[in-house]
Amino acid sequence: MNDMDKIYDMYGRDIYKYLLKMTGNEDVAEELLQETFLRAVKQIDSFRGETSIKAWLIVISKNCYYSAMRSPWRKLIREGEESADGKTEDISDCFENKEEVRRLHRILHNLGEPYKEVFSLRVFGELPFKEIAELFGKTESWAKVTFYRAKSKIIDKMNKEE
């Protein structure tokens, strides 16, 4: 087990709880938790020990949350949430026009596997993570992480095209 795994084991649950309070959504909190630790791995050299690791991770998680909510693709980030009337938001409602929907499909078409299939099953097939995991013979956690990574790749490519 490497140091980051140990840090995740020690603080992951607390960071998740913090993000859950901010988002009010378990899936979004879990996705932001993954992003937090991804950024922490990339930025570990910048950690100077002036604060505790937990405080540093909380700052990173807060920044992940604010970045996600400022993104023009925030509705995509919050895909799958139920609206007040209990209906799940349609992916096409996330975009302002048909051109953006075409862009999404083009980017998705060029996305590698298993990201393309997991994203499609979740968004277009509206399958729960548990069923996606069963289809691939993997864990539910794997399905969630793969879906999050697919969304991140799509959002990055969309942002780069702007």
Side-chain angles (χ1 to χ4, degrees):
M1 184 182 290
N2 68 34
D3 290 342
M4 194 49 79
D5 289 338
K6 290 176 186 172
I7 292 169
Y8 184 89
D9 287 345
M10 289 174 64
Y11 303 112
R13 185 137 178 86
D14 291 336
I15 303 302
Y16 170 78
K17 287 178 184 177
Y18 172 77
L19 289 164
L20 183 59
K21 284 181 183 178
M22 291 183 73
T23 64
N25 181 290
E26 292 176 358
D27 290 335
V28 173
E30 197 163 314
E31 291 172 22
L32 291 173
L33 176 65
Q34 297 297 325
E35 176 67 18
T36 297
F37 277 88
L38 180 65
R39 287 187 187 182
V41 166
K42 290 178 179 177
Q43 299 172 10
I44 194 69
D45 292 337
S46 70
F47 180 69
R48 293 174 285 193
E50 295 170 357
T51 64
S52 70
I53 290 177
K54 183 177 176 180
W56 180 66
L57 290 169
I58 286 174
V59 169
I60 293 172
S61 67
K62 182 174 61 171
N63 290 338
C64 288
Y65 171 77
Y66 289 134
S67 293
M69 295 306 106
R70 279 193 309 267
S71 165
W73 311 110
R74 67 186 167 276
K75 287 185 179 180
L76 178 61
I77 293 165
R78 303 194 90 163
E79 167 282 324
E81 290 185 9
E82 290 185 357
S83 60
D85 62 4
K87 294 181 182 175
T88 301
E89 189 172 1
D90 187 289
I91 191 69
S92 61
D93 294 339
C94 295
F95 300 98
E96 295 176 15
N97 60 49
K98 289 182 181 182
E99 182 57 35
E100 287 182 341
V101 173
R102 273 189 233 118
R103 269 179 56 204
L104 169 67
H105 284 289
R106 182 178 36 73
I107 290 169
L108 183 60
H109 176 73
N110 293 316
L111 201 60
E113 293 297 346
Y115 305 110
K116 180 184 353 184
E117 189 168 355
V118 169
F119 184 87
S120 295
L121 289 169
R122 177 71 177 159
V123 173
F124 303 115
E126 298 182 357
L127 289 180
F129 289 118
K130 184 176 182 176
E131 288 181 30
I132 293 170
E134 289 170 3
L135 285 171
F136 282 88
K138 304 279 187 177
T139 65
E140 187 173 348
S141 214
W142 174 88
K144 289 178 180 181
V145 168
T146 303
F147 176 73
Y148 168 76
R149 289 178 180 161
K151 282 196 319 184
S152 293
K153 288 174 183 274
I154 291 168
I155 291 167
D156 285 346
K157 288 181 182 187
M158 291 181 115
N159 286 335
K160 285 178 184 174
E161 287 182 4
E162 288 185 343

